[in-house]
Amino acid sequence: MRNRTLNLVFNWLMVTIGYYGISVSAPNLGGDIFVNFIIVSAIEIPSYVLSILVVDRIGRRLPLCVFLVSGGVAGTCIAFVPTNSNSFWLFISLALIAKFGVAAAFSIIYVFTAELFPTVLRNNGLGLSSMVGHVGGVVAPFIASLNVYGVAVPMTIFGVCLLLAGMSALLLPETLNKRLPDTVDEIENNK
């Protein structure tokens, strides 16, 4: 139970840093800041639709990992994009892929977290995970302000955070079509 809780808290922290960090970094991507913000915000709609379709068919763990790793790879690849005007659309496209992945992961992690905690701890577990995650929401703008060292610096940090979260999510059990645990003993005895 302890490992599961630490893993979920870590995932929430990383996902929230990536989600809010990419959102806050949108104006720094180049081009018109208003258009960038609208595009980065609008990409969430298809990501939510896809996550709804995937979660009930494939499961929770695999889509969470795939969305986090794809967002992390896209965010990390931004470090390798040259900063000239010809690569502007590549930079924006990678940022949109990263935002798509983290937004879909954010919608999945709510459901997944609630299903991983037993009934007696479900509210406390989700509350703890969300609280620690929102610390990431506080930290994200400070990471985004590292753009003074290069536009790719904060996006690379967000990408690495998403990659780490995606890898650690593989250690969590799948909950699709499984009975929700009622007590801590059920979780401890079903390892």
Side-chain angles (χ1 to χ4, degrees), residues 82-88:
T83 56
N84 59 28
S85 61
N86 295 336
S87 61
F88 167 73

Side-chain angles (χ1 to χ4, degrees), residues 23 26 35-46 48 96 99:
S23 297
V35 172
N36 287 350
F37 188 78
I38 289 170
I39 292 171
V40 168
S41 299
I43 198 71
E44 291 184 30
I45 296 168
Y48 294 148
L96 288 176
K99 179 62 185 245

Side-chain angles (χ1 to χ4, degrees), residues 112-186:
F112 198 36
T113 302
E115 291 177 349
L116 285 172
F117 282 108
T119 303
V120 295
L121 295 175
R122 192 161 293 133
N123 288 335
N124 292 335
L126 186 58
L128 173 70
S129 300
S130 179
M131 181 192 70
V132 172
H134 283 81
V135 170
V138 172
V139 173
F142 294 106
I143 296 172
S145 69
L146 294 174
N147 69 339
V148 296
Y149 300 107
V151 181
V153 172
M155 292 300 287
T156 305
I157 293 171
F158 300 139
V160 169
C161 288
L162 296 178
L163 283 171
L164 291 172
M167 293 299 136
S168 70
L170 286 173
L171 301 173
L172 295 168
E174 179 56 62
T175 60
L176 180 67
N177 299 324
K178 302 268 173 66
R179 185 179 158 276
L180 293 180
D182 289 325
T183 64
V184 176
D185 288 337
E186 286 182 32

Side-chain angles (χ1 to χ4, degrees), residues 60-70 165-170:
R60 281 89 164 123
R61 185 181 65 169
L62 184 61
L64 178 66
C65 294
V66 168
F67 286 131
L68 285 171
V69 169
S70 63
M167 293 299 136
S168 70
L170 286 173

